Amino acid sequence: MEQPASAYFMEERHDPNETHTLTVLVANEPGVLARVIGLFSGRGYNIESLTVSETESHKHVSRITIVTTGTPMVITQIKHQLDRMIPVHRVVDMTLTGRSIERELAMVKLRGTGEHRVEALRLAEAFRARVIDATIESFVFEITGNTGKINQFIDLMRPLGLVEISRTGVAAISRGPEGM
């Protein structure tokens, strides 16, 4: 379908979506998380992963790690809007620093017997997943790593009797001696 004629030249943009990991230091007080998340939901931005924890109790500071997807312009807009919020101390785009480590933890429950059970244990060993619970007919594996590794492990476990998955969300930290 053709766009209606316009007096203004409007270049059609098809910027690709990018996934970014943002780390936000905030005051650890009631309602802060709701305000930060409200910024995303109110503008229709998607959160793919969210991890929150108090990191400096004596300073009452919490660290929010958000994985989100959008065009470069949307990601920039999100960072600027977060930066302007009152309880926010600092916003760092870990994806742009290029010097970050990202990890996630997942617990993966499997039901199976016989060959499926043996194959699940073999794959768990290859992925360095640990058995944290076992019964005659089921396993619960604990696996840590980047999101891609965990997704790959889960995909391989599906045909072997995957029952349930619980994931923590991404935690990220920069490399080297400097802090945020």
Side-chain angles (χ1 to χ4, degrees), residues 11-12 70 72 108 121 152 157 159 180:
E11 184 181 327
E12 201 170 309
V108 180
L121 284 169
Q152 188 178 17
M157 290 298 177
M180 262 186 69

Side-chain angles (χ1 to χ4, degrees), residues 10-142:
M10 293 180 14
E11 184 181 327
E12 201 170 309
R13 296 184 64 146
H14 296 287
D15 292 340
N17 277 349
E18 300 175 349
T19 300
H20 283 249
T21 302
L22 307 176
T23 299
V24 187
L25 289 182
V26 297
N28 186 14
E29 54 190 47
V32 172
L33 179 61
R35 281 185 273 166
V36 169
I37 301 316
L39 181 144
F40 282 79
S41 64
R43 289 164 180 80
Y45 303 145
N46 189 41
I47 295 175
E48 296 189 13
S49 174
L50 175 68
T51 308
V52 185
S53 181
E54 184 177 57
T55 55
E56 299 178 50
S57 59
H58 62 285
K59 293 182 181 178
H60 301 292
V61 172
S62 287
R63 184 181 188 118
I64 302 173
T65 304
I66 303 169
V67 178
T68 189
T69 303
T71 64
M73 187 174 80
V74 167
I75 299 293
T76 300
Q77 186 177 21
I78 289 170
K79 291 188 295 191
H80 288 310
Q81 289 170 346
L82 283 169
D83 244 340
R84 286 195 301 261
M85 294 182 81
I86 296 297
V88 172
H89 298 304
R90 184 139 190 244
V91 178
V92 175
D93 188 339
M94 302 300 267
T95 305
L96 292 182
T97 65
R99 295 178 35 87
S100 66
I101 302 166
E102 295 182 10
R103 291 293 181 267
E104 185 175 1
L105 179 136
M107 291 184 287
V108 180
K109 185 185 289 185
L110 225 68
R111 178 184 303 127
T113 57
E115 279 302 308
H116 284 172
R117 199 169 166 85
V118 172
E119 181 65 9
L121 284 169
R122 190 186 66 72
L123 286 170
E125 186 179 341
F127 278 82
R128 295 186 182 152
R130 294 180 339 144
V131 175
I132 57 172
D133 185 59
T135 67
I136 294 171
E137 55 189 43
S138 70
F139 284 116
V140 176
F141 296 107
E142 176 188 285

